Amino acid sequence: MVNIGLIGAGRIARVHANTIAGNPDARIVAIADPYQPAAKEIAERFGASVFSDAQDLFALDNLDAVVICSPTPQHPQHVVAAAQAGLPALCEKPVALSYEAAVKLENDLNGLNPKVMLGFNRRFDPSFARIKKLVEAGEIGQVEQVTITSRDPEPPSAEYVASSGGIFKDMTIHDFDMARFFLGDIVEVFTYGQNFDPSIKAANDFDAAMILLRNAAGVVATIINSRHCAPGYDQRLEVFGADGVLNADNVRATTVQVAKKEFSASKEPYLNFFLERYTQAYTNELNTFLTAISKGETPTPGISDGIKALQIAEAAEESAKTGKSIKLS
């Protein structure tokens, strides 16, 4: 049984808490969050200890690992604290609020033998993972183009946007990692940012974007983002190769289609949000993390993946604001 400490008690922490609760080989034994009502609510469900300061959690002698769901600016200090305590950590994305802070984190971890996994859960989605295996098996030959569609059902609040780090670090960061999952390192970024929501524009952010990424071999990924989508949570992936094409479509509650005099092939809306759409991905992510712990291995994706995704995110933002293509070193 792996004893896990949960840092943070917000929305994403609740997702991880439910995932841990569903795993027979893990349990939450402690939760730390300055906002005690939220922490106590989760702790009472699992019989866990509660702390207001994460440092008190790290001092426990019955922990085997931690899951870091604190606000993004606190991720680096909690990752370092976990490494200093000799605890493997699953840290939510992004690994830091800026590329510079992420590089500093990597330097701060030197000599600590950290075992850190980044929360890029979409790598573990069954459909996306299946496409990855087919690509690696040569099923469609040389990959030439990747198209990633990611649209949220509705925009976040203006208050959230103001502290989120912006669409590219908060939302598109998953898509940047997915592009790297298939293309490897990215060498050039071009972004066209869009503003349709006045409140998001007032926060100096974009609510939609089209992004082109290129690797050194000339393979291009297109990322399509929007903060709103009337039919629901729009999550699709296409990988086009010399010998074929692989597609992962949206997930719905059922596969039922309705045909009537007024319309044909009507389907149910897409699943409402990431909580429903990526439930299995979170489960698979945790299983991968626990397996790495049991074998004493460093799990992937790791710190370097988080750093490279942040580098792309900042290049995408610069491109959107300047209208220029940005080359990465």
Side-chain angles (χ1 to χ4, degrees):
M1 181 65 67
V2 179
N3 291 337
I4 295 178
L6 186 64
I7 302 173
R11 181 178 67 178
I12 194 63
R14 293 169 187 270
V15 173
H16 283 286
N18 290 333
T19 303
I20 294 167
N23 192 301
D25 299 319
R27 64 184 175 188
I28 299 173
V29 298
I31 300 170
D33 193 295
Y35 185 62
Q36 288 290 278
K40 289 178 179 178
E41 181 184 341
I42 298 175
E44 287 173 0
R45 290 176 52 203
F46 304 108
S49 302
V50 180
F51 301 95
S52 59
D53 190 334
Q55 293 304 318
D56 293 327
L57 181 148
F58 285 118
L60 295 174
D61 58 8
N62 66 332
L63 286 186
D64 300 308
V66 294
V67 176
I68 300 171
C69 305
S70 51
T72 299
Q74 297 174 18
H75 286 178
Q77 70 187 70
H78 291 150
V79 168
V80 170
Q84 290 173 335
L87 293 170
L90 170 57
C91 180
E92 262 303 322
K93 60 78 190 171
V95 68
L97 200 55
S98 69
Y99 172 70
E100 181 181 10
V103 172
K104 181 180 183 302
L105 167 61
E106 187 175 44
N107 292 332
D108 290 342
L109 290 171
N110 284 339
L112 293 177
N113 190 30
K115 289 181 171 56
V116 184
M117 182 176 184
L118 258 291
F120 289 130
N121 65 294
R122 295 182 190 177
R123 292 191 182 206
F124 303 97
D125 173 75
S127 296
F128 298 167
R130 174 64 175 158
I131 287 180
K132 174 68 170 176
K133 287 182 179 179
L134 290 172
V135 167
E136 290 177 340
E139 190 70 21
I140 60 169
Q142 172 63 47
V143 172
E144 298 175 358
Q145 298 171 343
V146 174
T147 304
I148 302 166
T149 302
S150 180
R151 298 184 176 108
D152 284 352
E154 58 186 26
S157 66
E159 292 77 15
Y160 176 85
V161 170
S163 61
S164 68
I167 187 173
F168 303 116
K169 292 179 181 177
D170 173 55
M171 177 182 174
T172 324
I173 197 85
H174 278 296
D175 306 314
F176 294 144
D177 181 69
M178 185 55 53
R180 288 192 63 251
F181 196 40
F182 287 95
L183 271 63
D185 288 338
I186 302 301
V187 300
E188 189 171 9
V189 182
F190 180 80
T191 305
Y192 194 92
Q194 297 173 284
N195 283 114
F196 300 104
D197 188 322
S199 65
I200 293 180
K201 184 176 182 180
N204 196 33
D205 195 14
F206 301 98
D207 51 85
M210 296 282 288
I211 307 156
L212 287 176
L213 309 177
R214 179 179 65 85
N215 71 8
V219 183
V220 173
T222 303
I223 296 174
I224 304 166
N225 281 159
S226 178
R227 287 287 200 182
H228 67 89
C229 181
Y233 193 39
D234 189 8
Q235 299 288 294
R236 287 171 284 158
L237 172 67
E238 177 189 283
V239 181
F240 176 83
D243 300 328
V245 60
L246 300 166
N247 284 281
D249 203 353
N250 280 298
V251 177
R252 296 172 171 83
T254 74
T255 59
V256 172
Q257 294 188 26
V258 180
K260 298 177 64 176
K261 179 172 63 177
E262 297 84 2
F263 53 80
S264 63
S266 175
K267 300 179 182 180
E268 295 174 328
Y270 313 145
L271 293 182
N272 187 54
F273 206 24
F274 77 94
L275 302 178
E276 297 87 2
R277 172 60 181 84
Y278 288 113
T279 297
Q280 189 60 49
Y282 281 109
T283 297
N284 295 346
E285 177 185 64
L286 178 64
N287 289 339
T288 300
F289 180 59
L290 295 178
T291 298
I293 290 175
S294 69
K295 294 181 177 180
E297 299 173 349
T298 299
T300 57
I303 292 290
S304 64
D305 297 295
I307 290 173
K308 290 174 180 178
L310 270 174
Q311 183 185 31
I312 298 169
E314 293 191 352
E317 183 175 12
E318 181 182 352
S319 176
K321 291 181 175 179
T322 64
K324 298 179 180 178
S325 176
I326 307 300
K327 293 187 177 180
L328 304 181
S329 58

